[in-house]
Amino acid sequence: MAQPTINNLIRRNKVGTKHLHRIARELGTTPEYLTGETDDPAEGALPVPTADLVAEQVGAIMVPMLDLRFGMGGGNVVDAHSIIDRIPFPRDWLLSRIEGKPEQVMIITGEGDSMEPTIRSGDALLVDQAQRTVRQQDQIWAIGLHDVGMVKRLRRRKGGYEIISDNPAVPADRADDGEMEVVGRVIWIGRWQ
C-alpha cells in the first residue's frame, strides 16, 4: 500500500476503506476491531501462520541450519552453534533417509577444497546425527579430530580409520580408535546458486 494512501486514511479519519482487510491482517487483528465494532483485537482474528505450521501443511520438516562450519581439510569448528536459518525438506523424503528422529538432523556448511569435486566450499550439508557408526566404507561423514571439524570419507582400518579426501592433491590421514568423534553422516549436499 502506498504511503499517500495510508496518510489519507489517517488525515481524513475514515472508518471504511477497501484496504481494511489488508491493514487488519498486517496488524494481526480484524476489520471489526479497526472500525470500533468490537473491543477485542483478537476476536475472530486469524493468527499469522508460522513457518512450522506452513511446513506441516505442505508435508515438510523445518531443518535447522547451524552457525557451524566444518573444514574439508583442516578448518576450525566455529564455537557458536546458533541456528541461523531453517530450511524446509519434504517429510517423506527426509524420513526415508535418516535413521533417527528429524530433530537429530542439521545443516552445516563445508569450507575448503579437499572434498572437491564432490563438495565445494560453501555447500550446505545435511547431517544425520543419529548415524554415528561407520557401517559402510567410503561414505561421507562430519567428524571431529583434534578439536577440528572435518567432512571426509571414512574407511575402517585395523585399530582406526583412514580419513580420505576426494581431492587427489590432498593425502589421506589416519585416526586411531578413540581419537576421532563422529558427528554424523552427510546424507545430502546442497549447492546455493
Side-chain angles (χ1 to χ4, degrees), residues 84-95:
I84 56 174
D85 204 351
R86 294 176 36 171
I87 311 297
F89 282 85
R91 175 180 297 281
D92 293 342
W93 179 88
L94 185 65
L95 293 177

Side-chain angles (χ1 to χ4, degrees), residues 21-35:
H21 282 53
R22 288 176 51 198
I23 295 169
R25 186 174 54 244
E26 286 297 318
L27 295 174
T29 188
T30 64
E32 292 78 17
Y33 176 73
L34 295 177
T35 59

Side-chain angles (χ1 to χ4, degrees), residues 81-142:
H81 297 6
S82 60
I83 296 173
I84 56 174
D85 204 351
R86 294 176 36 171
I87 311 297
F89 282 85
R91 175 180 297 281
D92 293 342
W93 179 88
L94 185 65
L95 293 177
S96 72
R97 284 161 176 76
I98 64 175
E99 288 188 5
K101 298 176 182 177
E103 296 80 32
Q104 294 175 289
V105 179
M106 66 178 174
I107 301 170
I108 60 173
T109 304
E111 286 187 337
D113 64 359
S114 73
M115 288 301 288
E116 286 271 1
T118 309
I119 303 172
R120 296 182 189 159
S121 191
D123 281 353
L125 309 173
L126 190 63
V127 177
D128 181 1
Q129 297 176 84
Q131 296 186 49
R132 292 184 178 213
T133 303
V134 179
R135 293 190 195 110
Q136 262 187 311
Q137 303 286 46
D138 301 328
Q139 291 180 325
I140 301 174
W141 298 83

